[in-house]
Amino acid sequence: LVLAVAAAYLIEYLDDTIKTSADVTHLLKMPVIGHIAEIEKGKYDGTYITKNPRSSAAEAYRGLRTNLEFAAVDKSLKVILVSSAAVGDGKTSVAANLATIMAQGGKTVLLVDADLRRPSVHRFLGLSNKNGLTDVFRNSIELHEALQTWSREKVMVIPAGEPPPNPAELLGSKRMNLILDSLGKVADVVIVDGPPFLVTDAALLSSKVDGVLLVVRSGQSRKNEVLYAAEQLERVGANVLGVVLNGIPRSTDPIYSHYRYYNNA
């Protein structure tokens, strides 16, 4: 029994992942403006919120949308970058579902896949990746030719296109500034699914947008990786809107508990 207890304490001591909002605020001194519960395996895709508008996940994204609206009171948030400290934290799902919930709120929304190394928005929404952002950079197509419409929520989408050999140079270029300015003229809100902070691309993009959402996955994101991302954001002077705590266990998520109570009433 003593050995079992000691082993449990050792495992907890060696676990350097972020689990709760308190962990985030203590480590980063950043507000947590979104709490997204984990979804049952096999049920989560780009259409989840559309198919389940009364789910706890949909309610959580509505809360995130409201918090962003408050953040935009003093300063316009036209272009928002969604990124994470590492791969697998769920930044693409957050970006896509945030675009969906904003479109449901009556805004014209454009979702851009700027993760040029590992693009995934097209797979998440079941779209083609043939003509995308990299094709615009190469001047092989015009910007409007890269636009697709995800029919379920009428969200405009620009996929990444074929991965280029020099993604950092493209994303850090003046041409990227011009592209973001142009996109801001065709939509109320532009949501950019960016690369994780494992690569320099994310820091370069952070300096070009109106605000950054940092996605942290409960029980998976490591503290040193998240701290490194926060340091890069501070270094480039990015406007960090807050942290989205993703993948919260449903048993501990207050929104899910409320939804379950409401649904069973």
Side-chain angles (χ1 to χ4, degrees):
L1 178 61
V2 171
L3 288 175
V5 171
Y9 274 108
L10 179 62
I11 292 172
E12 182 68 24
Y13 176 77
L14 295 176
D15 185 0
D16 66 342
T17 61
I18 293 175
K19 295 183 179 63
T20 66
S21 298
D23 292 340
V24 174
T25 53
H26 177 73
L27 183 70
L28 301 181
K29 306 298 187 293
M30 293 179 184
V32 179
I33 64 171
H35 299 80
I36 313 298
E38 62 183 354
I39 305 293
E40 295 177 62
K41 290 183 178 180
K43 292 188 176 182
Y44 197 55
D45 57 22
T47 66
Y48 186 84
I49 284 181
T50 302
K51 293 177 180 177
N52 302 274
R54 296 182 63 209
S55 65
S56 63
E59 189 61 34
Y61 278 104
R62 289 188 192 97
L64 175 58
R65 180 183 65 192
T66 299
N67 288 335
L68 289 174
E69 289 171 351
F70 279 116
V73 169
D74 295 326
K75 182 179 179 181
S76 175
L77 295 177
K78 193 77 174 180
V79 182
I80 300 173
L81 173 67
V82 180
S83 185
S84 59
V87 176
D89 291 337
K91 63 178 182 59
T92 298
S93 64
V94 170
N97 283 291
L98 178 59
T100 297
I101 211 73
M102 284 189 161
Q104 290 178 354
K107 292 185 180 295
T108 303
V109 183
L110 175 57
L111 175 63
V112 181
D113 192 346
D115 190 348
L116 302 184
R117 298 174 191 262
R118 297 184 61 180
S120 57
V121 167
H122 65 286
R123 288 195 300 271
F124 197 80
L125 299 181
L127 300 173
S128 169
N129 194 40
K130 183 178 181 181
N131 294 321
L133 189 59
T134 55
D135 298 287
V136 176
F137 274 115
R138 291 200 303 263
N139 293 314
S140 60
I141 61 171
E142 296 293 329
L143 189 58
H144 70 272
E145 295 178 275
L147 285 172
Q148 299 183 46
T149 301
W150 184 46
S151 59
R152 286 188 174 273
E153 295 298 341
K154 297 183 179 179
V155 174
M156 293 182 289
V157 180
I158 294 184
E162 290 298 318
N166 57 338
E169 286 77 5
L170 294 181
L171 296 175
S173 67
K174 292 182 179 179
R175 180 72 187 280
M176 188 63 190
N177 292 356
L178 295 175
I179 289 174
L180 291 175
D181 288 341
S182 298
L183 295 178
K185 296 175 182 178
V186 300
D188 297 325
V189 182
V190 179
I191 305 294
V192 180
D193 177 29
F197 279 89
L198 288 172
V199 290
T200 58
D201 312 15
L204 292 170
L205 271 176
S206 298
S207 64
K208 298 178 181 294
V209 298
D210 298 322
V212 180
L213 285 176
L214 182 63
V215 178
V216 172
R217 191 169 192 88
S218 175
Q220 178 171 308
S221 297
R222 298 189 177 280
K223 294 178 181 178
N224 61 334
E225 294 173 338
V226 174
L227 274 174
Y228 177 69
E231 289 170 1
Q232 290 193 75
L233 286 165
E234 184 178 2
R235 189 175 298 118
V236 300
N239 177 27
V240 182
L241 304 173
V243 173
V244 176
L245 188 61
N246 190 33
I248 302 171
R250 286 156 46 114
S251 59
T252 62
D253 176 41
I255 294 179
Y256 175 72
S257 299
H258 169 78
Y259 168 73
R260 183 174 54 190
Y261 170 80
Y262 174 80
N263 222 31
N264 292 334

